[in-house]
Amino acid sequence: MENKEILLTMRKISKTFPGVKALNNVDFTLRKGEIHALLGENGAGKSTLIKVLTGVESMDGGQVTLEGKPIHVKSSQHAQTLGISTVYQEINLCGNLSVAENIFIGREPMAYGMIDWKMINKRAKELLNNLNVDIDVTKTLDSYPVAIQQMVAIARALDISAKVLILDEPTSSLDAAECKELFTVMRKLCNEGMGIIFVTHFLDQVYEVSDRITVLRNGELVGEYEAKSLPKVELIGKMIGKDYEQLQQIESAKKAHMENKESYLTCKNLTTEGNLKNLDLEVNKGEVLGLAGLLGSGRTETVRALFGADKILGGELSVKNTRIRNNKPITAIRKGMGYCSEDRKSEGIVGELTIRENIILALQAKKGMFRFIGKKEQTKISQQYIKLLDIKTPGCEQQIKNLSGGNQQKVLLARWLATNPELLMLDEPTRGIDVGTKAEIQKIVLELAEKGMSIIFISSEMDEMLRCCERMVVLNDKKKLGELSGNEKNEQVIMEMIAGGKSV
Amino acid sequence: GQQAQPTGPDQSTPTQSTPSESTQPKKNEGKLVVGFAQIGQESGWRDAETWSILNAAEEMGVDLKFSDGQQKQENQIKAIRTFIQQGVDVIGVAPVVETGWETVFKEAKEAGIPIVLVDRRAAVSEDLYATFIGSDFILEGQNACKEMARLLNGKGNIVELQGTVGASAATDRMKGFAEELKNYPDMKIIASQSGDFTRAKGKEVMEAFLKAYPGEIHGVYAHNDDMALGAIEAIKDAGLKPGVDIKIVSIDGVKAIFEAMVAGEANVTVECNPLLGPQFFQVCKDLKEGKEVPKWVKSEEGIYRQETAAEDIKNRKY
Amino acid sequence: MKKLTRNQIFWPLVALIVLLIYNAFFAKNFFKISVVDGHLYGNLIDILKNFAPLALLSIGMTLVIATGGVDISVGSVVAISGAIACSIIDGRLGIFNHSLVSALVSALLSGLACGLWNGFLVAKVKIQPMVATLILLTAGRGIAQLITKGKIVTINSAPMMKEYYFIGAGYLLGLPFALYIVIAFLFLVLLLVKRTAFGLFLQSLGINSKSSMLSGINVDRIKLVVYTISGFLASIAGILISSNIKGADCNNAGLFIELDAILSVAIGGNSLNGGKFMVQASIVGALFVQCLTTTVYALGVPPEAISLLKAIVIIVLCLFQSDSFRQRVFKGFKRSVKGADAA
Amino acid sequence: MKKGILSKNFQLFVTIVLFLVLFLAGSLRYRGFFSAQVFLNLFIDNAYLIIIAVGLTFVLISGGIDISVASVVAFVGMLSAYLLQNGWNPYVVMLLMLLIGSTGGFLMGYIIHYFKIQPFIATLAGQFLYRGACFIISTTSIIIDNPVYTTIANYQIKLAPKAYISISVVIALLVVIAGTIMARFSKFGRAVYAVGGNEQSANLMGLPVGRIKVLVYVLSGFCAALGGIVFSFYTLSGYGLQNIGLEMDAIASSVIGGTLLTGGVGSVVGSMFGVLIQGIIQTIIIFQGNLSSWWTKVAVASLLCLFIVLQRIISANRDKFKRKMLNNA
Ligand SMILES: Nc1ncnc2c1ncn2[C@@H]1O[C@H](COP(=O)(O)OP(=O)(O)OP(=O)(O)O)[C@@H](O)[C@H]1O
Ligand SMILES: Nc1ncnc2c1ncn2[C@@H]1O[C@H](COP(=O)(O)OP(=O)(O)OP(=O)(O)O)[C@@H](O)[C@H]1O
Ligand SMILES: [Mg+2]
Ligand SMILES: [Mg+2]
């Protein structure tokens, strides 16, 4: 493995944003035919390194060579012509175009001087089929959920015949099966001699596919390692800079409560705009309820309906035994609910507003326009959550769009925690969050439940679900298959349940 | 020399092309059908003209198809095309601009419908329209200048409030005044600015003039009464007496300026008669009956002064 | 220093000051202020008086634009409100004859109604703002003419004329009364924006309306309110304009003033795509626009060259406000200085 | 497959149906309305507007706006009239006009993209600039009597004994066809949609965003100039006050035809129908024949409002509508 040819080097790369030293003399080396994991905590500088490499951000200092020749990448377009193909962390596609077009735009096959649509649609379908995604590629991209969009972005990057492929957290909203497909393709491309940079917070995946690991911390290089020779615990240590024990604590925290079963929310026979069919659901006070299911099974739609973001077409919904009609987000919030959406870019952050404003937004809406929270109070609240969730930022007056992906996610969590809800619905709350913080968040979730808050938890990571949830509702094809609680819930059972449900 | 157009050879076809429409009105011989393409409703003067036409149509029992062009030539052209489709007997137009009527007038001619120009001229060859009814903007400007000279005894500084830049009324009224001004070597225009024919702008511009030329202005020449009315307010705000300290001459003759003259705040208005309705329909009738009509039917105009304003205002209809 | 130049209001103020300095040199008597009839009198005072309607409109326009919309109907609302007020003062409407109070109240109500209508189309029917307000832009002038039967209403001889004239052209403590109205509304709107969460919600929904809705902001209602405010302020502008000329000119009152209002907002450094905004900066923008107009008159620029001049001023001004332009130019400048040094 | 086409172009479908409804309503109400020539006059009288709207549609799809087009038309008319009067070759004049329009568009696009000047403001400046330039040439209108121009202007292409179109209509239709092909089947066209959908993403996907944004304004300037030439066929003159407010007509047409002003959505054919709808509203009002100035305004606005609201309601209930269609089928 050592004698693999060097494909790309980055030497002494530095980048400073106002108030933040995002990269400080970072070195990085990529070889031909390897999968190289780039790891680090949220805000460590991974995405910045990638953006510098692909010319999205200019670097303050350093050198890049590709196949031995020094290069100065001016724009992402330039990067593409140099043979660097990238999937950025936030999905960067055009929602108004069709799926097929998103894959091929800029490199459309032509026939008789005109775009060959038949060809595009056919090939797009094939490409997605390779990743085991079977959808109508002529529909617009924004009619699909984040996970599909992510697959489309990957399909696009894979099809660009490149020397270097960069994947910045491509798996953050994919589930196990899809990851598997992706990894197969990645390995195949490696064997053809491509070099792949792979960013993720799922350490299991790191060990599953990558040959080498580079770890960043606080914008500085920690080191480059052979994946085989670096045990997981040690890796985590290198990433967070201290020893790692939180995971154990969670297990113990969870055992504590189980008994009191006062119902907080019930819905019967719910049918929604989002195609949910006849759903019965009960959420008790102080419990963590998990929604399990595959992509498109209707988990997101369930919580959206409870929160009033989707119209309810039939059935009834009651909170604390009072029926709710004409549910709207603000009604739900006033009733004590909170909903942290899975799509943080388009349904979460308000980019140009500051962290402070983003955090207090829902709380302010809950209080109403005229009970204005003074600026001092706002700062206090946001400081508190920046500390609690360890949000990495020079200050709370920073625009949220300048934060790293994981830190944005934390701000959104803070937004809902600040409203102090009775029922908190978390749709993929740990998406793009590093291991350390993930454990921290899980802990917070359990502590809140302890204090009597009900929580609906959705995550593509079965592990996390099993660790946090007392009870699980399994969904498939927009229908409820059943419920599991206590010891009966484990991954095996759930998968079987879904498989069984499908055949029925 | 525009006879040899491609449409020339098949001149007869378009005439035949609307047989049902154009013969139908002719069946009920008695009723005259007239299409009138008005410019719009940009001023009190125009309103009076519209009113006069609508009124006269009713009195004379004419079937009038009226279209308001909203100040746009395109709209007027569309209206004329539509009138042709509807097969009216005569089409009247108050052209918003002089040029650009060649094509559509030709179409009307081919359809055998005579065109009557009202109050503004169009730059087309004489065979394309039957007659022009109206006045002469240049003459108005000249008259205004003569009046100003009378008021200032041929000596003094004048500021000019122009109409909308590019509007033919503004251009010609400016031209007429300037031409006549040559005869009075001691009078000169010290400042000239567009007030867009509106009171608000007239006032704003006059305010600025009063500050730029304190005590130097002896007369105001406004291209329409509305701007003069605005200027009067500005002069009052400056602590001066309009009509006395600064003489005011304007054009149009709307009622409000008569009121100002009665109050002694304005001096002269040169009238441009908008009440063309009766004259217009008389011409239309004559045309339908195949009578000869002169190429220019002049409208009656007058000059009204402060001294007689109190009497004149009683007869004002608009 | 850097902090200062980053402040949104910095560049508009610089532009205004540059224009005034220019006038100090080239426009005769521009800064001369005297006392006439017990009030201050001079070009600067005129600017403060004449900018009032535009300032009010630009306040409303700023809020509307912050939500990512635009209101191009304000000019027509100006015409409607002026038509109603003057018709009542003149006593030709048949109701509330000659009553100043009912004239003002009816005019303001008409503005509210127009604003509500726009807001309804945008927020409830979900028509795109520019087209939704285009409907009232077209219809509004028609409605105004309908009220006055197409005539220009002149209230020179109406009983309450003096009082009505005072609103738009009178003086209080030596300064134009209209200026006080602008200050009052600026204060009120700032209060609303800074002392309630309205400003926050407005920006939030202008930047990302989906997120805002999911955070519990009643997006539709805020849009409705914003268009209503804009309509209301337009009706006040209508009163000021008609009062200043003692009459209602439905065809010309506020014609194309929406462009000036949008221009003021942009000169104030606000993004026309919505989001962050600063009402004070728009006011400075409006002041600049009016100052430019008065300058043009004072300098005696030939009328046919005014558009050209305006275009050039706008381009130069916007270029200097643009960060990337300054960077490029100054970089080039620095480079050339360096080159000169080397040589 | 057919269903797919219907659902993708649903808004366009609704627009066309509503257009036909308007035409039918006019035909039932007014004598002489239902004739081929009335229909063809819609094209003859609006050819220039169709051309302008096509160019503008690209700008709007890219997420920008161009409010200078009306002034370009006036300026082109003015300058060509002036040059023709001075004995210039008409074809040279036409080429020059197209060049000027495109260059103006290029300059506006350049400062919009590279100096981050807001499109509305940059093109507002352009509007003032062109308009001002008209009056520098002349404050009065100038007649065009060049034989080439008059020949083109008066030439009638007979479709049937009772129906003809002008050369301008042919030009307009060619522009619509070219525009449609460009929007649907060219890399540039698709990139415009991408930029309008999400500029940042388009950039990250490696599209030359800057070039596209500039080109869009060049295209709009070109179309406006071409529209200006066609308009000078229409009026055979140049006049500085011509077409004030035309940009709003063009924008409204485009929006009626389904363009989103926020960018990313729209079609050239839709914009053409948008123009025709405004044209037919105008025709109905002229046929009505007794509307005063103010009722004209109110009527135009009401018809427009009615139309847009209907279109909105039908499109918003599109799912219900589709379900019904499916049930019926
Ligand atoms: N445009 C910007 N302006 C200011 N600061 C920025 C900007 N972009 C990134 N940063 C800062 O740079 C640091 C590194 O961010 P980066 O996005 O590279 O982190 P990351 O390692 O990708 O984290 P994550 O795992 O959360 O995606 C963060 O502290 C972030 O706040
Ligand atoms: N694999 C898929 N193939 C086709 N359509 C899908 C697929 N996955 C999701 N969708 C579409 O996405 C829409 C939203 O699904 P939803 O977000 O409710 O799923 P979910 O259970 O929350 O899953 P996840 O959040 O993991 O995507 C569904 O209406 C469905 O049409
Ligand atoms: Mg990142
Ligand atoms: Mg989901």
Side-chain angles (χ1 to χ4, degrees), chain A residues 174-193:
Chain A
L174 304 186
D175 61 21
E178 281 141 345
C179 289
K180 260 213 175 72
E181 299 297 334
L182 175 62
F183 294 157
T184 319
V185 179
M186 277 164 67
R187 278 204 207 87
K188 198 181 118 228
L189 290 173
C190 266
N191 293 337
E192 289 162 13

Side-chain angles (χ1 to χ4, degrees), chain B residues 7 24 41 65-66 68 70 72-74 77-78 81-82 85-86 99-100 103 106-107 123 165-166 171, chain D residues 31 37 45-46 48 139-141 143 154 164 234-235 237 239 242-244 287 289 291 293 296-297:
Chain B
T7 43
Q24 258 167 357
Q41 191 72 26
K65 309 227 177 275
F66 180 85
D68 183 284
Q70 312 275 325
K72 288 188 184 167
Q73 184 178 22
E74 314 88 279
I77 294 179
K78 284 171 203 170
R81 284 232 163 83
T82 311
Q85 283 302 310
Q86 290 174 314
T99 53
T103 318
K106 218 170 255 167
E107 282 170 32
V165 176
T171 318
Chain D
R31 196 169 48 113
Q37 197 53 48
D45 291 329
N46 294 298
Y48 65 98
T139 53
T140 53
S141 67
I143 202 158
N154 291 320
Y164 71 91
Y234 189 61
T235 63
S237 66
Y239 180 42
Q242 203 67 268
N243 288 314
I244 287 179
F287 264 87
L291 294 182
S293 173
T296 304
K297 290 184 180 114

Side-chain angles (χ1 to χ4, degrees), chain A residues 132-136 139 143-148 151 173-175 178 273-276 291-304 310 342 427-428 458-460 475-478:
Chain A
N132 228 0
V133 177
D134 186 21
I135 53 172
D136 180 357
K139 276 221 247 173
S143 55
Y144 292 104
V146 199
I148 299 283
M151 293 303 265
S173 48
L174 304 186
D175 61 21
E178 281 141 345
E273 198 182 31
N275 294 327
L276 215 58
L291 293 186
L294 297 177
L295 211 72
S297 56
R299 298 168 296 176
T300 300
E301 277 138 359
T302 307
V303 281
R304 279 181 71 89
D310 281 350
E342 66 179 335
D427 197 352
E428 312 272 4
I458 302 174
S459 170
S460 316
L475 297 171
N476 190 36
D477 200 15
K478 322 281 180 213

Side-chain angles (χ1 to χ4, degrees), chain C residues 1-17 267-268 278 281 284 321 326:
Chain C
M1 186 62 203
K2 194 138 201 197
K3 213 170 180 187
L4 191 68
T5 57
R6 277 246 205 91
N7 194 325
Q8 194 188 325
I9 209 166
F10 177 79
W11 290 107
L13 271 179
V14 168
L16 186 63
I17 291 167
I267 290 178
M278 192 175 192
V284 176
Q321 278 196 15
R326 283 202 311 272

